[in-house]
Amino acid sequence: MSLGPAEVAKIAHLARLAIAESDVPAYARNLSSILELVARMDAVDTTGVEPLAHPLDMVQRLRADEVTEADRRDDFQSLAPQVEAGLYLVPRVIE
Amino acid sequence: MEWEAVIGLEIHTQLATKSKIFSGAPTAYGAEPNTQACAIDLGLPGVLPVVNAEAVRMAVMFGLAVDATIAPRSVFARKNYFYPDLPKGYQISQYELPVVAHGRLDITLADGSHKRIGITRAHLEEDAGKSLHEDFHGMTGVDLNRAGTPLLEIVSEPDLRSAQEAVAYMKKVHQIVVYLGICDGNLQEGSFRCDANVSVRRKGATAFGTRAEIKNINSFRFVERAIEHEIERQVELLEGGGQVVQETRLYDPDRDETRPMRSKEEANDYRYFPDPDLLPLELDAACVAAARAALPELPDARRARFVEAFGLSPQDAEALTASRPFADYFEALVAAVGGDAKLCANWMMGEFAAALNRAGLDVTASPLGPARLAGVLQRLRDGTLSGKLAKEVFDAVWAGEGDADAVIAARGLRQITDSGAIEAIVAEVIAAHPKQAEQYRAGQEKLFGFFVGQVMKASRGKANPQQVNDLLAARLKG
């Protein structure tokens, strides 16, 4: 499977990455070679192999349902470019 | 041409935990903006999510309540999309291996019959924050208090065939999650929300038509209307020779219509992958058994028991078990009255429900506990009060004038059961209306009601109605 320029542009858009037009062929080539490697692995007989969801062979620890976090809004909002009335302000997302 | 609708619902229930699904920030509704969003909820660098055990337990309880399979191993996945109320750029959800799968529940249709609806899956995920689009000089305000609140997304099979069935299903799921105590069920506050997948096909066809997804439905009334409009729109489109486009539509309750979301708002390419920050969730048999042991009696079982144990009709049992607190109240009332479940049922669904309704109160906020109501019903049963007087006493007790006996004493409402006293009133009334008495004796039996009314009026409603009937009948015969 190989990717064309249109697919590269779509992937970049979904990931919100701005890429230069001149770099598209190189991205297409490199991403395609990753997919080719994956395609080659498809040939391996995986009968009886459990799908791996995580490289660590461990189980998720759970935490008790307790409130442990205090309000630190002022600290967090000091990092934000714009706040008002306790809200984070961002460029308008609907017209 | 006859058309058939095919509907599946995705219901998002906020789980009633104290803290978020992956962080120790509180989940309480209505706090000052962003005061309940911690570093994990904000997706700041270097943080790690840790799963809330209570959210998992609640998901398992739901799965058991709908006879589903509880996955011994499930996996959290990232659902990737960009929106300002999703700070990490992905939502932690479950994709290929959800915690609950292959469940089912029965809904009651309008004709009283039951229909089984399949539940494909229910998975744990985190809620997003809220975007406020008004009043910020052309910018959007973001409140992330809701970000990370645990959700159980319950996905039905496309088994629903009308807007009414969809509402019945949604109400049933609502009833179950509230009975289980895993969701507060508050639709206004967004604790229970629904998306509907709707398509139509020719009646008798087996293949599905192209579906549209309606988002943003937050009331039982809206789900019915939104689906009805969408079915109408698709049928019109197809009958006009057009095609349904697979798309996401928003229901606008103000205009009572669905309209397509802007393509910008739509992002179907979520590129799910297992979240490397979270290990697989494993549930052993002991944990499932513990959740099973903690299951309360569910609505269907309770309804059946009410029919069996109290001799109620299925309709009465259904109405009384609609909510857990209402059913609890009923059982406490029957115990306090010491039997006569039918009388208790009639009063709860009649006077009591009407009074709650007038006051705009839920049963949990009733000013009248079961013991107080039982006091009124006991005086009705022992003949102290007639049905009419009991209603007057009920109103007074509701208004806080004391218990039934205090009201009866204060207002002198004790029913007159002394037959001598009633007989005197009866004689008086007949003497005062000789013409009507004559007409009655001449065969106008309808006038009997007139005499009953007059006697009750003369006794100011206090005469025992049965005695009035008997004595009047005897006297009027002449």
Side-chain angles (χ1 to χ4, degrees):
Chain A
M1 185 184 172
S2 73
L3 298 176
E7 284 150 322
V8 170
K10 187 187 173 201
I11 294 164
H13 170 70
L14 287 171
R16 297 298 188 275
L17 292 173
I19 58 174
E21 193 70 36
S22 55
D23 290 337
V24 170
Y27 279 121
R29 213 166 40 243
N30 292 340
L31 289 171
S32 295
S33 68
I34 294 170
L35 292 177
E36 276 154 27
L37 176 66
V38 173
R40 259 194 282 162
M41 292 196 289
D42 269 346
V44 179
D45 180 8
T46 55
T47 315
V49 178
E50 283 287 307
L52 185 72
H54 200 283
L56 295 180
D57 187 19
M58 292 167 77
V59 169
Q60 179 63 42
R61 298 248 321 247
L62 304 179
R63 43 169 269 273
D65 181 26
E66 281 161 15
V67 173
T68 52
E69 297 289 332
D71 169 26
R72 292 178 60 201
R73 182 174 76 178
D74 291 346
D75 292 343
F76 296 141
Q77 295 205 329
S78 69
L79 308 169
Q82 216 176 334
V83 294
E84 187 177 314
L87 300 163
Y88 295 91
L89 293 194
V90 298
R92 191 149 194 176
V93 284
I94 57 167
E95 297 85 45
Chain B
M1 173 69 63
E2 256 206 282
W3 297 90
E4 176 182 64
V6 176
I7 303 155
L9 296 188
E10 293 168 12
I11 295 175
H12 292 87
T13 53
Q14 277 184 0
L15 297 176
T17 55
K18 293 196 280 289
S19 65
K20 304 239 171 121
I21 183 168
F22 299 119
S23 82
T27 54
Y29 179 83
E32 279 291 300
N34 292 307
T35 54
Q36 298 185 160
C38 72
I40 293 171
D41 307 326
L42 297 179
L44 292 185
V47 299
L48 264 186
V50 186
V51 182
N52 184 336
E54 185 65 2
V56 174
R57 195 185 68 87
M58 288 175 167
V60 171
M61 282 180 76
F62 177 78
L64 295 173
V66 296
D67 282 330
T69 310
I70 308 301
R73 185 169 177 277
S74 65
V75 170
F76 287 99
R78 291 186 181 181
K79 177 179 178 178
N80 300 280
Y81 66 94
F82 287 97
Y83 208 73
D85 58 24
L86 187 76
K88 298 191 294 296
Y90 60 85
Q91 177 192 27
I92 304 177
S93 181
Q94 295 190 303
Y95 188 55
E96 284 169 322
L97 295 170
V99 64
V100 168
H102 312 303
R104 53 155 189 73
L105 55 76
D106 293 336
I107 58 169
T108 307
L109 304 180
D111 65 1
S113 66
H114 297 283
K115 178 172 174 178
R116 180 148 292 186
I117 307 299
I119 291 171
T120 317
R121 58 186 278 150
H123 60 257
L124 283 164
E125 60 182 27
E126 57 179 340
D127 209 342
K130 272 184 195 162
S131 301
L132 301 141
H133 301 293
E134 294 91 27
D135 301 334
F136 298 103
H137 350 282
M139 300 190 71
T140 290
V142 181
D143 175 7
L144 296 170
N145 279 350
R146 199 179 66 179
T149 296
L151 292 178
L152 186 66
E153 179 174 336
I154 302 160
V155 182
S156 84
E157 289 289 307
D159 287 346
L160 303 158
R161 291 292 172 269
S162 69
Q164 291 70 37
E165 286 185 19
V167 175
Y169 168 79
M170 189 177 170
K171 284 187 173 165
K172 192 62 180 271
V173 172
H174 184 265
Q175 190 187 36
I176 290 171
V177 296
V178 174
Y179 255 80
L180 290 173
I182 64 172
C183 175
D184 68 19
N186 191 321
L187 282 85
Q188 285 81 31
E189 293 177 3
S191 303
F192 190 86
R193 326 191 283 269
C194 164
D195 299 341
N197 288 300
V198 179
S199 66
V200 297
R201 64 181 174 191
R202 293 196 173 149
K203 200 143 198 170
T206 48
F208 293 139
T210 306
R211 69 189 159 93
E213 182 179 7
I214 317 170
K215 287 206 177 276
N216 198 29
I217 322 180
N218 63 357
S219 86
F220 296 124
R221 193 161 53 95
F222 289 165
V223 81
E224 183 162 2
R225 275 163 49 179
I227 291 173
E228 262 168 7
H229 280 278
E230 183 56 23
I231 293 170
E232 231 169 81
R233 185 188 73 86
Q234 292 188 13
V235 167
E236 264 174 41
L237 202 59
L238 293 170
E239 289 191 336
Q243 295 260 311
V244 175
V245 185
Q246 182 161 351
E247 64 183 351
T248 305
R249 300 177 70 86
L250 269 183
Y251 176 65
D252 181 343
D254 296 330
R255 293 196 202 162
D256 197 16
E257 62 177 23
T258 66
R259 55 179 163 76
M261 283 174 95
R262 289 173 193 82
S263 55
K264 242 202 258 179
E265 293 168 320
E266 196 176 359
N268 282 324
D269 199 341
Y270 292 128
R271 294 150 295 137
Y272 285 93
F273 64 89
D275 191 328
D277 285 347
L278 289 156
L279 291 153
L281 177 66
E282 289 198 358
L283 297 169
D284 57 20
C287 153
V288 175
R292 191 184 296 279
L295 279 184
E297 186 181 31
L298 290 164
D300 285 355
R302 198 164 197 184
R303 191 182 61 219
R305 180 167 62 81
F306 275 22
V307 170
E308 181 77 14
F310 297 125
L312 299 173
S313 71
Q315 290 75 17
D316 285 357
E318 175 117 26
L320 289 166
T321 55
S323 88
R324 189 170 160 184
F326 202 71
D328 289 345
Y329 191 107
F330 171 75
E331 292 206 64
L333 180 63
V334 175
V337 169
D340 213 341
K342 183 64 189 159
L343 177 77
C344 294
N346 289 343
W347 272 75
M348 276 202 64
M349 294 183 295
E351 296 304 310
F352 183 65
L356 285 174
N357 216 8
R358 274 196 301 275
L361 292 176
D362 184 75
V363 63
T364 51
S366 166
L368 193 63
R372 280 251 153 139
L373 178 52
V376 178
L377 300 189
Q378 271 158 345
R379 292 297 158 263
L380 179 61
R381 291 183 78 207
D382 68 14
T384 308
L385 296 172
S386 65
K388 188 158 172 275
L389 289 176
K391 282 175 190 173
E392 188 180 335
V393 172
F394 171 82
D395 287 340
V397 175
W398 176 275
E401 290 180 25
D403 67 15
D405 289 338
V407 169
I408 290 166
R411 294 194 175 193
L413 291 177
R414 189 168 286 277
Q415 180 173 240
I416 303 171
T417 50
D418 169 9
S419 55
I422 298 174
E423 208 161 347
I425 301 170
V426 165
E428 222 169 86
V429 165
I430 293 174
H433 301 89
K435 211 173 116 198
Q436 284 86 348
E438 200 177 305
Q439 286 168 340
Y440 175 81
R441 286 177 187 129
Q444 285 199 43
E445 291 184 4
K446 271 191 300 187
L447 280 168
F448 191 74
F450 164 80
F451 282 105
V452 172
Q454 290 301 314
V455 172
M456 292 311 286
K457 198 172 146 193
S459 74
R460 287 188 293 150
K462 290 192 278 186
N464 176 293
Q466 191 54 50
Q467 283 174 284
V468 170
N469 278 335
D470 295 346
L471 292 168
L472 258 178
R475 269 293 176 120
L476 279 170
K477 260 187 214 154

